């Protein structure tokens, strides 16, 4: 596996504007979480990453974690980014292989936004785990980018 | 690119951002975690573009060689239309990789024609116009995003008109066509790293599980009824262990099976 964390991405992340509008059915919290994650993930686009036009949104209760399956291709590089609706919350995101083993990735955490970068050597299923680290309920939005 | 932790910390300190290793992470997910993991169509199943992007890393595919003849657009079965819509969207990705604006426009028109027969043309029509404009201006990167957005618009429109079950078929059609095209290129330009890209066991497992939950009326469709055994066969071919490399003959066999299935899906 390869790790990567272009520092330009971090700097670009700070300069990004507000995110696009969401569907009418989304709650205010979901819109805020989506905006938070786009502030971060949008920066990867500047480094040639394509943002997958799909996300997973939900609410984490204290002590709970989300685990979602993804299918990755060897040779591609991926960033998984998560944001929450409340800036006072703190969130983390990790990646596991198909046996459930934690993978070494490039982690990035900034309070209610986090990302992890990974370039798989093997194609197949992987698992993304999103956890709130302060024990505060939070609405989150998870998405990924690839190149 | 590997960036040392020291540089990373320096950058973060300068920007006022706090970063640290995710020490709260659990080191091993339990079997229950894996079994209960969320599997979501528009997140867990990669787009055809992701597979094509990976293939571009291990070779220089002649994408035009993976074109197929124009398919019929006058089907009466809604499941069949949905499957072919997915296949056409995959064709769109292939045409974008080939940077062939006329082919992109042709496929865009076929997508619109099929979408109209399902009565879901409103937003998709707008996307179709965008695809034509972007193709005209050779905006290939934007076109990939537009194709993905088109697929999502199609699925959203299906949801809105209570055709949710058809969204699985759109995804399935795209996956089969993408697998056909990629395995076709690999079979003719064989290399181990390229062949290993074809390992996609969980994708087809997820799609088969979704097929099994389709409403009885959809499952009774002649085409849908015959899908599962053939998908099981495809699943066996893409479920090799992580360290194993399929032989050229294995890839050819997969390509034949995917092509045969696509042929059934497009047959009137």
């Amino acid at each position: 596996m390869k790790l990567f964390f272009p520092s330009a991405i971090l700097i670009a992340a700070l300069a990004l504007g507000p995110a696009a509008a969401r569907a009418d059915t989304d709650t205010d919290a979901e819109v805020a979480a989506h905006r938070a994650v786009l502030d971060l993930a949008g920066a990867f686009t500047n480094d040639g990453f394509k943002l997958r036009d799909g996300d997973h949104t939900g609410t984490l209760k204290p002590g709970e974690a989300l685990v979602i399956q993804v299918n990755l291709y060897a040779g591609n590089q991926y960033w998984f980014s998560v944001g929450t609706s409340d800036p006072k919350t703190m969130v983390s995101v990790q990646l596991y292989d198909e046996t459930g083993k934690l993978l070494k990735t490039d982690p990035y955490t900034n309070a209610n936004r986090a990302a992890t970068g990974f370039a798989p050597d093997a194609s197949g299923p992987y698992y993304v785990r999103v956890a709130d680290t302060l024990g505060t309920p939070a609405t989150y939005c998870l998405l990924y980018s690839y190149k | 690119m590997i960036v040392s932790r020291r540089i990373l910390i320096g950058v973060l300190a300068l920007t006022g951002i706090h970063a640290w290793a995710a020490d709260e992470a659990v080191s091993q997910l339990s079997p229950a975690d894996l079994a209960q993991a969320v599997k979501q169509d528009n997140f867990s199943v990669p787009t055809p573009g992701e597979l094509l992007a990976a293939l571009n890393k291990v070779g220089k595919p002649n994408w035009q060689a993976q074109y197929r003849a124009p398919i019929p657009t006058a089907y009466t079965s809604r499941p069949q239309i949905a499957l072919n819509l997915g296949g056409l969207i995959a064709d769109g990705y292939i045409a974008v990789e080939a940077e062939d604006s006329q082919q992109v426009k042709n496929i865009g028109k076929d997508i619109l024609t099929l979408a109209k027969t399902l009565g879901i043309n409103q937003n998709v029509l707008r996307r179709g116009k965008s695809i034509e404009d972007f193709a005209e201006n050779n905006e290939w990167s934007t076109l990939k995003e537009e194709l993905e957005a088109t697929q999502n618009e199609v699925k959203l429109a299906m949801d809105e008109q209570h055709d949710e079950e058809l969204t699985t078929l759109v995804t399935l059609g795209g996956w089969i066509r993408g697998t056909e095209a990629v395995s076709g290129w690999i079979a003719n330009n064989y290399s181990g790293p390229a062949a290993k890209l074809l390992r996609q066991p969980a994708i087809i497992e997820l799609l088969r599980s979704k097929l099994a939950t389709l409403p009885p009326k959809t499952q009774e469709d002649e085409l849908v009824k015959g899908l599962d055994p053939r998908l099981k066969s495809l699943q066996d071919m893409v479920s090799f262990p992580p360290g194993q490399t399929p032989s050229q003959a294995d890839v050819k066999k997969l390509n034949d099976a995917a092509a045969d299935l696509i042929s059934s899906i497009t047959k009137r």
Side-chain angles (χ1 to χ4, degrees), chain B residues 115-127:
Chain B
K116 280 180 191 170
T117 61
L118 286 178
I120 53 172
N121 57 333
Q122 286 302 322
N123 290 336
V124 179
L125 264 178
R126 202 180 61 232
R127 291 287 178 192

Side-chain angles (χ1 to χ4, degrees), chain B:
Chain B
M1 181 195 312
I2 299 176
V3 178
S4 80
R5 186 72 39 181
R6 188 177 300 172
I7 293 172
L8 176 59
I9 291 167
V11 170
L12 296 172
L14 284 172
T15 57
I17 294 176
H18 307 288
W20 55 90
D23 55 2
E24 70 281 359
V26 298
S27 60
Q28 179 73 46
L29 294 179
S30 69
D33 288 332
L34 300 182
Q36 292 163 14
V38 174
K39 291 161 189 165
Q40 182 180 305
D41 187 317
N42 70 346
F43 200 92
S44 302
V45 181
T47 65
E50 291 177 58
L51 178 55
L52 304 189
L55 187 58
N56 279 331
K57 311 276 181 6
V58 292
K60 293 193 182 301
N62 171 13
W63 290 112
Q64 292 192 352
Q66 301 309 319
Y67 289 177
R68 57 176 169 162
I71 65 166
T73 51
Y75 301 105
T76 52
S77 148
R78 293 170 78 78
Q80 186 171 22
I81 295 169
L83 283 161
N84 279 295
L85 262 175
L88 279 175
I89 290 168
D91 284 328
Y93 279 101
I94 294 166
V96 170
E97 291 295 342
E99 301 194 348
D100 183 340
S101 59
Q102 187 55 52
Q103 180 74 355
V104 171
K105 285 192 262 185
N106 293 344
I107 289 164
K109 280 178 189 156
D110 286 348
I111 289 172
L112 289 182
T113 304
L114 280 187
K116 280 180 191 170
T117 61
L118 286 178
I120 53 172
N121 57 333
Q122 286 302 322
N123 290 336
V124 179
L125 264 178
R126 202 180 61 232
R127 291 287 178 192
K129 181 72 174 70
S130 301
I131 286 173
E132 197 168 301
D133 292 344
F134 291 132
E136 195 67 48
N137 296 319
N138 298 331
E139 294 181 50
W140 307 115
S141 183
T142 313
L143 267 168
K144 288 178 192 172
E145 291 164 15
E146 202 61 19
L147 278 167
E148 193 179 348
T150 300
Q151 179 168 301
N152 287 343
E153 292 281 7
V154 166
K155 290 178 178 176
L156 189 63
M158 285 174 169
D159 284 347
E160 284 170 356
Q161 60 185 41
H162 308 294
D163 276 335
E164 297 92 340
E165 74 275 10
L166 297 182
T167 62
T168 296
L169 298 175
V170 172
T171 305
L172 180 60
W175 182 82
I176 299 169
R177 174 66 186 126
T179 299
E180 181 201 13
V182 168
S183 62
W185 185 84
I186 297 170
N188 292 323
N189 303 272
Y190 182 80
S191 75
K196 286 169 93 168
L197 285 179
L198 295 167
R199 182 173 185 272
Q200 312 171 79
I203 300 173
I204 194 157
E205 184 184 359
L206 172 58
L207 292 172
R208 284 185 68 216
S209 72
K210 282 178 164 280
L211 267 188
T213 63
L214 292 178
K217 189 182 168 194
T218 309
Q219 295 211 29
E220 283 161 17
D221 180 275
E222 278 305 312
L223 179 60
V224 174
K225 214 187 291 181
L227 281 178
D228 193 62
R230 300 169 82 175
L231 290 176
K232 171 72 175 70
S233 171
L234 282 181
Q235 184 175 357
D236 292 343
M237 294 180 212
V238 299
S239 298
F240 49 89
Q244 187 177 312
T245 304
S247 67
Q248 189 168 13
D250 292 336
V251 177
K252 181 76 174 72
K253 192 175 158 197
L254 170 63
N255 179 245
D256 288 345
D260 190 48
L261 191 45
I262 283 292
S263 170
S264 300
I265 288 169
T266 54
K267 193 174 178 183
R268 286 193 62 204

Side-chain angles (χ1 to χ4, degrees), chain A:
Chain A
M1 86 188 68
K2 302 173 193 73
L3 302 180
F4 52 93
F5 201 118
S7 55
I9 286 174
L10 286 173
I11 295 161
L14 302 175
L16 278 184
R22 296 279 286 168
D24 293 342
T25 51
D26 287 348
T27 65
D28 289 348
E30 286 170 345
V31 171
H34 195 245
R35 184 178 295 123
V37 71
L38 278 183
D39 280 350
L40 175 60
F44 301 130
T45 310
N46 296 340
D47 199 46
F49 283 81
K50 300 214 170 306
L51 191 60
R52 170 82 192 261
D53 186 17
D55 58 56
H56 180 78
T57 305
T59 301
L60 286 175
K61 293 175 186 162
E64 274 188 359
L66 160 83
V67 178
I68 186 167
Q69 186 189 71
V70 290
N71 284 276
L72 311 182
Y73 293 111
N76 284 349
Q77 297 178 356
Y78 296 88
W79 276 103
F80 294 90
S81 306
V82 64
T84 68
S85 54
D86 183 353
K88 296 190 191 83
T89 57
M90 194 171 283
V91 71
S92 67
V93 56
Q94 296 96 33
L95 192 66
Y96 297 79
D97 70 13
E98 65 189 278
T99 69
K101 184 182 167 195
L102 179 66
L103 292 167
K104 192 173 180 186
T105 58
D106 277 324
Y108 162 72
T109 305
N110 174 21
N112 69 325
R113 289 177 288 182
T116 199
F118 184 67
D121 283 336
S123 301
Y126 291 81
Y127 294 86
V128 182
R129 181 177 182 271
V130 175
D132 133 72
T133 57
L134 287 183
T136 317
T139 297
Y140 65 87
C141 181
L142 171 71
L143 45 77
Y144 72 89
S145 322
Y146 69 94
K147 76 171 179 182

